[in-house]
Amino acid sequence: MRKPFVAGNWKMNTDSHTSVNLAEKIASVSSETADQSVSVAVFPPFVYLQMVFKALSVSNVAVGAQDFYFEQNGAFTGEISALMLKDIGCTYVLCGHSERRHVIGETDELINKKVTAAISGGLLPILCVGELLEERKADKTNEVITRQTKKGLAGLNAEKVSAVTMAYEPVWAIGTGLTATPQQAQEAHDFIRKLLAEMYDAQLAEEIRILYGGSVKPDNAAELMCQQDVDGVLVGGASLKADDFSVIIRAAV
Ligand code: PEP
């Protein structure tokens, strides 16, 4: 039985005041749903991680980072390592988010190094995969998902991959207000699960959580999460509004 997972990616938003305020509100919602039937995590900007930890300290909300560099330490000006994130208490890290792939220019090879380093460093990576609009129109969704999944997980055995959460995030749905229909999401999630079964084994594929991301809002979250292979959601815009994020958390319970 896969435990539902609701993750909030704050991206390059909030400031020291609003990040703490948002975290405090999320902590109070999560204590209402403190039956532990849903995993909740937030991904604030690096500079607010520790303030957010403090604000969430009495809750069961986990904290993750939006990115990191795959080396452990050294002359990598401006970068943050998995060890540093682990040191301050991070549980998760995003890898392969479409904004890092398509805006920053990260390759599948770099993403694979990050997934590998995250696991070695004791973090739980969330590997995001998903097609551009033109790829969907050209009927290449499954091809893109296959490439990003196989390359993202290259060299990792089943034991290591069991630390990974997958996120299907069609790029055309991220921050656009367009959402995949529940059927489109289910089809892609079913495809990813079958791909994992082929790459590893049926048990691993059954156990791994696959989140949907792309304009998840309070009014579509429940329908998406009702789908058999949708184990939760990765939320951008709506995770910045405590009330909206709370409705989404409750929809997962
Ligand atoms: C995301 O950041 O992963 C995301 C899905 O954003 P949004 O919910 O705003 O589309």
Side-chain angles (χ1 to χ4, degrees), residues 206-245:
E206 228 3 78
E207 286 170 3
I208 231 164
R209 291 189 288 192
I210 308 174
L211 313 184
Y212 167 79
S215 298
V216 174
K217 305 285 175 216
D219 59 359
N220 59 24
E223 208 190 350
L224 285 158
M225 285 189 276
C226 276
Q227 303 303 308
Q228 194 186 333
D229 289 290
V230 178
D231 306 314
V233 285
L234 176 52
V235 187
S239 72
L240 293 168
K241 296 179 196 139
D243 290 346
D244 286 2
F245 196 57

Side-chain angles (χ1 to χ4, degrees), residues 9 11 97 99 169 173-175 213-216 234-237:
N9 174 14
K11 310 194 187 195
H97 189 279
E99 285 144 21
E169 297 213 298
I174 298 179
S215 298
V216 174
L234 176 52
V235 187

Side-chain angles (χ1 to χ4, degrees), residues 71-90:
E71 295 286 358
Q72 291 193 353
N73 49 46
F76 303 102
T77 302
E79 298 295 341
I80 305 275
S81 72
L83 290 182
M84 293 170 181
L85 294 174
K86 185 75 188 164
D87 181 41
I88 60 159
C90 282

